[in-house]
Amino acid sequence: MTITGDMLIGASAVRGTSKIQQAINPATGEVLGPDFHGGGAAEAERACALAEAAFDIYRNTSPEARAALLESIASGIEALGDELIERAHAESALPVARLQGERGRTANQLRLFARVLRDGRWQAATLDPALPERTPPRPDLRLQKIAVGPVAVFGASNFPLAFSVAGGDTASALAAGCPVIVKAHSAHLGTSELVGRVIQNAVADAGLPEGVFSLLVGAGNEIGTALVAHPAIQAVGFTGSRAGGLALVQTANNRAQPIPVYAEMSSINPVFLLPAALQARGAGIARDLVDSLVMGVGQFCTNPGLVLAVDSPALDVFRQGAAAALTDKAAATMLTPGICRAYDNGVAQFGEIEGLLRIGSGQTATGPNQACPALFETSAERFLADHRMQAEVFGPASVLVVCRDLEEMLSVARHLEGQLTATVQADADDHALAASLLTVLERKAGRVLFNGYPTGVEVSFAMVHGGPFPATSDTRATSVGASAIERFLRPVCYQNLPAALLPPALQDGNPLGLWRLANGELARH
Amino acid sequence: MTITGDMLIGASAVRGTSKIQQAINPATGEVLGPDFHGGGAAEAERACALAEAAFDIYRNTSPEARAALLESIASGIEALGDELIERAHAESALPVARLQGERGRTANQLRLFARVLRDGRWQAATLDPALPERTPPRPDLRLQKIAVGPVAVFGASNFPLAFSVAGGDTASALAAGCPVIVKAHSAHLGTSELVGRVIQNAVADAGLPEGVFSLLVGAGNEIGTALVAHPAIQAVGFTGSRAGGLALVQTANNRAQPIPVYAEMSSINPVFLLPAALQARGAGIARDLVDSLVMGVGQFCTNPGLVLAVDSPALDVFRQGAAAALTDKAAATMLTPGICRAYDNGVAQFGEIEGLLRIGSGQTATGPNQACPALFETSAERFLADHRMQAEVFGPASVLVVCRDLEEMLSVARHLEGQLTATVQADADDHALAASLLTVLERKAGRVLFNGYPTGVEVSFAMVHGGPFPATSDTRATSVGASAIERFLRPVCYQNLPAALLPPALQDGNPLGLWRLANGELARH
């Protein structure tokens, strides 16, 4: 498939007349062709008009039809073969094996939502039959969830496939019945076009209205702001920086009709080392934690950026082990020159904070845009007093916070901002403390994990990739896993609707064979 | 039970030192004792500190314990007997029979959430068992929903029981496991205190922490703003005006940690009269619609403020019938002097809009704070051109919009802002048109009803009392019905949690007997 540098607006390839962008190979600095011709407000308007025109038709397609679309997209992405992997590798410097895994995850995610669609519980079909003899009589009431409207999606830099053009936001919005307009991330423009063309083709092959999908390109904020401000757009999915997410939230709040923004923003993913575990497994935890820290050059939303432990001889073992393990870690290429600069700045700023000491470093950079891993240490007292230490430094940097005692560790936990994840390393003797900590961490994070590392987000039914602000802008939502579809649905109640007009999910006799709540009881008949 | 004019902060009665407010009988202008001593930011802080202290204990009570609390509150409200009804009648001028019905509805609502708690589906328990043999291995993942944190509730003027101190917001938040702080509505301060004392006593009788409930009083915005801005508060329930709701949304958005505001604000509840129904039943619809319009002096969120029909001889019959029916309707006392002034101003402003003609009036006022019902008429063309005609005039006023043809009626439907309800009067011959209209109205309203009138909101499983902005600030939510609990919950995923630490809903063997999603399949074992 040829990458042309055009935007995909409905069925058309559109050459923008705004600023030209180029893809860069961060490992070499080489410019990767072609030129990408960015658009502005006019192209956002055109995509939104098509999405609006497509919405009523698309949302009223059968769940089966949408499931087939998602499966067709999954197959189309797989059919791109090495071309996709090679382009993504060139644009991101992410290893080929990692990208192959991410491709599998992306396809699986699309297929998971096909399964969700066929299962049908997303419709929340609910029936309260009429009670004509009651005083006052109860009318016939039936509820289902329907799509909210066209959705704008802003992909992440760090997952060019799984959190990008055909990533979780797009998959869940398309499943819900929402047309999707993606703003391509400038870190992987060619990858975005390849995947975008797969979706464009799948929409056409399915005979769906062209406005079901568009892919926009644009430097700066103009096109994205125009997109979020457009009256047709009814929800926004975003994965990226706190500043970027908050800017979109602001734009959405300032609309005549405010809309929800599901922004997954920043998280430092604290890891608590409890005493018995630290005593028994300190050296092993140090090694595994450093592996988790540098995995993917630390470019995960769930990267462990904070480690907490009580001062003790066992902590000395951990500290030395971690510093030693880090020494062996090579500097590695980050996703973009800008991300690498931001990392270097973040590490430099940490270095200037009084009482925050660098206690470990990986190997120095040997090529462009390489990050050198860094481990810092501070006391709980200083951490509690200096909010700057809670800032996310995106990349392989982490801060060890040394607590005087367990009570101080709990104080630090209570002081933390909202997180995507919180991790506890605990052995059986730690369980009493772990229970107290769990009560705190449930309120701080969307996912609490024991005796593991936070990197690695399963795409399944029980996953929550979300959490209290500022981890996300909406603590009720997850951007990964089956529940992600709920972000793009709203409930509608139908009262005394004539049988001829009832939507299939709510018809007598349950023709779709759904799980439905009838008279407050769940049943499938 | 003596009404003292104190605030109820946890277990204490607290006399505010801020401005004194008095309850007024709107039917007579009489001041009803005692003085209510309002508080300010200091009292909000005290209530929030208690709520925060109570939260972890309260949210971890068993669902059964919270169900018992709700039932105890319901019984306590019923046990107040005539004292409550008489006070509410004196403060609101609402008829005694209506208040008795509202009391029943309030108690039923509390008991519905007790049922919801025992049913347990609100916990959304989900289990994805570990797959250790898979590449990569899948960890054990379990999801449940937990309470978001302390909730601030602002009651409505127009339902002194069902949307007030122990109304739907409080009932659903307490059910979810959230402590509640209510800001009493100044329209019914004595009623609020009576019900507040019932909740305070029920919390004490159950041996729960005192911070589970507080009731604040205060003139102006200070105490309410302080409440919403307080870091302990994690969500807000509000029913009232658009200006009031948007002010709270603004305060919530400006926090260091923004929080969701569930504001049910304004709606004009369009009623569409389709040709066959109008032809067959025009006179009857006119009579019933006028009854719905003046019911409760038009002081319902779902009052029919807009009627749409195509110009025809049948419409003449309807118009004349409606105007005639209105002539017989007495002016009636509104809830407060301020609400009556706002109504009179709204009607006067409608009278000044060019092309908006008054075509019907009820009888003139004979006492203080009485509203005279009013029916206006305009053309669809003018309605589409003048946004002022979409303003909600809270009270018994409605606008008939005359459309040239069915296409113009659909244009008006598409042009409408978000609504709580949309109503269609349609006979069998109207079904083709009704289907087109339904596609538009689903996107405009939280509840679409046929051949009825929007006043009257059932408290049940399938109810949606919500809708797109500006009907509410969150189109995904309902403030009435079993789903209202979802506003105050957030999902948490537990990964590889030791069995000893798993919350009851997620333990192996399903000790609570919940419906759970295991491996993507719903089961109760």
Side-chain angles (χ1 to χ4, degrees):
Chain A
M1 198 179 272
T2 311
I3 301 172
T4 63
D6 293 330
M7 288 176 283
L8 308 176
I9 302 186
S12 307
V14 175
R15 179 140 299 208
T17 56
S18 182
K19 201 172 160 195
I20 288 178
Q21 288 178 280
Q22 292 170 318
I24 308 252
N25 183 330
T28 62
E30 174 199 2
V31 170
L32 302 164
D35 286 349
F36 290 84
H37 298 261
E43 285 80 9
E45 165 66 37
R46 184 168 163 191
C48 288
L50 286 175
E52 174 61 31
F55 177 49
D56 279 334
I57 297 166
Y58 184 59
R59 74 182 175 94
N60 284 316
T61 54
S62 69
E64 177 55 40
R66 298 204 294 284
L69 174 68
L70 296 176
E71 289 168 338
S72 159
I73 296 169
S75 303
I77 289 170
E78 289 167 340
L80 285 174
D82 290 344
E83 183 183 6
L84 178 66
I85 300 298
E86 284 162 14
R87 178 76 191 194
H89 173 64
E91 289 187 327
S92 69
L94 292 170
V96 165
R98 142 74 196 268
L99 288 166
Q100 287 167 335
E102 191 183 329
R103 177 178 59 191
R105 174 203 172 112
T106 306
N108 286 345
Q109 186 161 251
L110 288 156
R111 293 185 177 117
L112 174 69
F113 283 107
R115 180 176 168 191
V116 166
L117 279 169
R118 293 188 177 109
D119 171 84
R121 284 178 307 106
W122 62 274
Q123 289 187 270
T126 306
L127 291 81
D128 294 332
L131 298 174
E133 311 300 327
R134 200 195 61 176
T135 309
R138 182 169 84 180
D140 179 275
L141 296 166
R142 305 183 191 218
L143 175 154
Q144 69 171 351
K145 289 195 173 177
I146 69 170
V148 291
V151 169
V153 170
F154 293 79
S157 62
N158 58 341
F159 280 86
L161 302 172
F163 282 84
S164 189
V165 178
D169 287 339
T170 298
S172 54
L174 286 177
C178 301
V180 170
I181 303 175
V182 176
K183 159 72 167 63
H185 198 290
S186 58
H188 46 261
L189 291 164
T191 306
S192 293
E193 184 182 329
L194 288 171
V195 175
R197 287 186 178 273
V198 166
I199 304 179
Q200 189 186 49
N201 291 340
V203 168
D205 290 348
L208 292 167
E210 56 172 330
V212 166
F213 175 76
S214 291
L215 176 66
L216 302 177
V217 172
N221 300 330
E222 182 195 341
I223 199 166
T225 304
L227 187 58
V228 173
H230 195 283
I233 297 297
Q234 292 300 302
V236 179
F238 168 89
T239 304
S241 70
R242 188 159 170 177
L246 293 181
L248 293 183
V249 168
Q250 185 85 51
T251 299
N253 286 344
N254 288 343
R255 291 165 49 115
Q257 177 227 5
I259 55 172
V261 174
Y262 301 103
E264 191 256 272
M265 298 185 289
S266 72
S267 182
I268 54 174
N269 305 297
V271 178
F272 295 82
L273 312 179
L274 301 197
L278 190 61
Q279 179 71 40
R281 308 185 270 118
I285 294 172
R287 202 170 47 238
D288 295 343
L289 187 66
V290 166
D291 284 347
S292 174
L293 175 65
V294 303
M295 184 191 293
V297 206
Q299 299 168 121
F300 291 110
C301 314
T302 54
N303 193 54
L306 197 68
V307 183
L308 300 104
V310 172
D311 205 6
S312 65
L315 180 59
D316 294 336
V317 172
F318 169 85
R319 183 192 285 114
Q320 288 156 23
L326 209 57
T327 310
D328 293 336
K329 299 296 178 189
T333 310
M334 297 195 83
L335 292 157
T336 71
I339 287 172
C340 193
R341 273 195 303 277
Y343 174 76
D344 289 340
N345 286 341
V347 170
Q349 280 166 22
F350 269 9
E352 287 166 14
I353 297 177
E354 200 187 325
L356 187 58
L357 302 175
R358 184 153 178 167
I359 61 164
S361 296
Q363 296 173 13
T364 50
T366 58
N369 305 314
Q370 289 187 352
C372 170
L375 182 62
F376 293 86
E377 177 174 330
T378 191
S379 68
E381 193 178 4
R382 284 182 185 273
F383 183 82
L384 289 168
D386 192 334
H387 194 72
R388 294 173 295 172
M389 296 189 199
Q390 280 203 50
E392 182 186 25
V393 175
F394 188 72
S398 195
V399 176
L400 172 64
V401 176
V402 180
C403 307
R404 270 194 317 271
D405 51 28
L406 296 170
E407 192 41 60
E408 193 173 52
M409 182 187 273
L410 281 168
S411 296
V412 174
R414 287 189 200 98
H415 174 72
L416 290 174
E417 293 187 313
Q419 307 289 339
L420 293 171
T421 70
T423 299
V424 181
Q425 294 286 347
D427 283 355
D429 286 350
D430 295 313
H431 280 186
L433 173 62
S436 304
L437 198 52
L438 186 56
T439 298
V440 179
L441 298 181
E442 281 178 323
R443 297 178 59 181
K444 294 292 181 182
R447 178 164 57 112
V448 181
L449 56 143
F450 270 63
N451 298 329
Y453 300 90
T455 41
V457 179
E458 183 72 26
V459 179
S460 69
F461 293 91
M463 177 49 61
V464 176
H465 191 63
F469 186 93
T472 77
S473 56
D474 189 332
T475 182
R476 282 172 51 200
T478 174
S479 62
V480 176
S483 311
I485 194 174
E486 294 174 18
R487 299 175 297 167
F488 303 120
L489 296 168
R490 46 174 282 264
V492 177
C493 172
Y494 304 84
Q495 178 174 325
N496 286 342
L497 217 61
L501 297 175
L502 276 170
L506 301 180
Q507 288 170 8
D508 290 342
N510 196 9
L512 299 187
L514 300 173
W515 281 106
R516 308 200 295 189
L517 195 71
N519 273 319
E521 298 293 331
L522 205 54
R524 207 165 188 169
H525 49 72
Chain B
M1 199 178 272
T2 311
I3 300 173
T4 62
D6 293 331
M7 289 176 283
L8 308 175
I9 301 186
S12 307
V14 175
R15 179 138 299 207
T17 56
S18 183
K19 203 172 160 195
I20 287 177
Q21 288 178 280
Q22 291 169 320
I24 308 253
N25 183 330
T28 61
E30 174 199 2
V31 170
L32 302 163
D35 288 348
F36 290 85
H37 298 262
E43 285 81 8
E45 165 66 36
R46 184 168 163 189
C48 288
L50 287 175
E52 173 61 31
F55 177 50
D56 279 334
I57 297 166
Y58 184 59
R59 73 182 176 94
N60 284 316
T61 55
S62 69
E64 177 55 39
R66 298 204 294 284
L69 174 69
L70 296 176
E71 289 168 337
S72 160
I73 295 168
S75 302
I77 290 170
E78 290 167 338
L80 286 173
D82 290 344
E83 182 183 8
L84 178 66
I85 300 298
E86 285 163 12
R87 179 74 192 196
H89 174 63
E91 290 187 326
S92 69
L94 292 170
V96 165
R98 143 73 196 268
L99 288 166
Q100 287 167 335
E102 191 183 328
R103 176 179 58 191
R105 172 204 173 109
T106 306
N108 286 345
Q109 186 161 249
L110 289 155
R111 292 183 177 119
L112 173 69
F113 284 107
R115 181 174 167 193
V116 166
L117 280 169
R118 292 187 177 111
D119 171 83
R121 285 178 308 105
W122 63 274
Q123 289 186 271
T126 306
L127 291 80
D128 294 332
L131 299 174
E133 310 300 326
R134 199 194 63 175
T135 310
R138 181 169 85 179
D140 179 276
L141 297 166
R142 306 182 190 217
L143 176 154
Q144 69 171 352
K145 288 194 174 179
I146 69 170
V148 291
V151 169
V153 170
F154 293 78
S157 62
N158 59 341
F159 280 84
L161 301 173
F163 282 84
S164 188
V165 178
D169 287 339
T170 298
S172 54
L174 286 177
C178 302
V180 170
I181 303 174
V182 177
K183 159 72 166 61
H185 198 289
S186 57
H188 45 261
L189 292 165
T191 307
S192 293
E193 184 181 330
L194 287 171
V195 174
R197 286 186 179 275
V198 165
I199 304 179
Q200 189 186 49
N201 290 341
V203 168
D205 289 350
L208 292 167
E210 57 173 329
V212 166
F213 176 76
S214 289
L215 175 67
L216 302 177
V217 172
N221 300 331
E222 183 196 341
I223 200 167
T225 303
L227 187 56
V228 172
H230 195 284
I233 297 297
Q234 292 300 303
V236 179
F238 168 88
T239 303
S241 70
R242 189 159 166 176
L246 293 181
L248 293 183
V249 168
Q250 184 86 53
T251 300
N253 286 344
N254 288 343
R255 291 165 49 116
Q257 176 227 6
I259 55 171
V261 174
Y262 301 103
E264 191 256 270
M265 298 186 289
S266 72
S267 182
I268 55 174
N269 305 296
V271 178
F272 295 82
L273 311 179
L274 301 197
L278 190 62
Q279 180 71 38
R281 308 185 270 118
I285 294 172
R287 203 170 47 239
D288 294 345
L289 187 66
V290 166
D291 284 348
S292 174
L293 175 65
V294 304
M295 185 191 293
V297 206
Q299 298 169 122
F300 290 110
C301 315
T302 55
N303 193 54
L306 197 69
V307 183
L308 299 106
V310 173
D311 206 6
S312 66
L315 180 60
D316 293 336
V317 172
F318 169 85
R319 183 193 284 112
Q320 287 159 24
L326 208 58
T327 310
D328 293 337
K329 298 297 180 189
T333 310
M334 297 195 82
L335 292 156
T336 72
I339 286 172
C340 193
R341 274 195 304 276
Y343 175 75
D344 288 342
N345 286 342
V347 169
Q349 281 166 22
F350 268 9
E352 287 166 15
I353 297 178
E354 198 186 327
L356 187 58
L357 301 176
R358 184 153 179 167
I359 61 165
S361 294
Q363 297 173 12
T364 50
T366 58
N369 306 315
Q370 288 187 352
C372 169
L375 181 62
F376 293 87
E377 178 174 330
T378 192
S379 67
E381 193 178 4
R382 284 182 185 274
F383 182 83
L384 289 168
D386 192 335
H387 194 72
R388 294 174 295 172
M389 297 189 199
Q390 280 203 52
E392 182 186 26
V393 176
F394 188 71
S398 194
V399 176
L400 171 64
V401 177
V402 180
C403 307
R404 270 195 317 270
D405 52 27
L406 296 169
E407 191 41 60
E408 193 173 52
M409 182 187 271
L410 280 168
S411 295
V412 174
R414 287 190 201 98
H415 174 74
L416 291 173
E417 293 187 313
Q419 307 290 339
L420 293 171
T421 70
T423 299
V424 182
Q425 293 285 347
D427 283 355
D429 286 350
D430 295 315
H431 280 184
L433 173 63
S436 302
L437 197 53
L438 187 57
T439 298
V440 179
L441 298 181
E442 280 178 323
R443 297 178 59 182
K444 295 292 181 180
R447 177 164 56 112
V448 182
L449 55 143
F450 271 63
N451 299 329
Y453 299 91
T455 41
V457 178
E458 183 72 26
V459 179
S460 69
F461 292 91
M463 177 49 62
V464 177
H465 191 63
F469 186 91
T472 77
S473 56
D474 188 331
T475 183
R476 281 173 51 201
T478 175
S479 62
V480 176
S483 311
I485 193 174
E486 293 174 19
R487 300 175 296 167
F488 303 119
L489 296 167
R490 48 173 281 265
V492 177
C493 172
Y494 305 83
Q495 178 173 324
N496 286 343
L497 217 61
L501 297 175
L502 277 170
L506 300 181
Q507 287 169 9
D508 290 342
N510 195 10
L512 299 186
L514 299 174
W515 281 106
R516 308 200 296 190
L517 195 72
N519 273 319
E521 298 293 330
L522 205 54
R524 209 166 188 168
H525 49 72

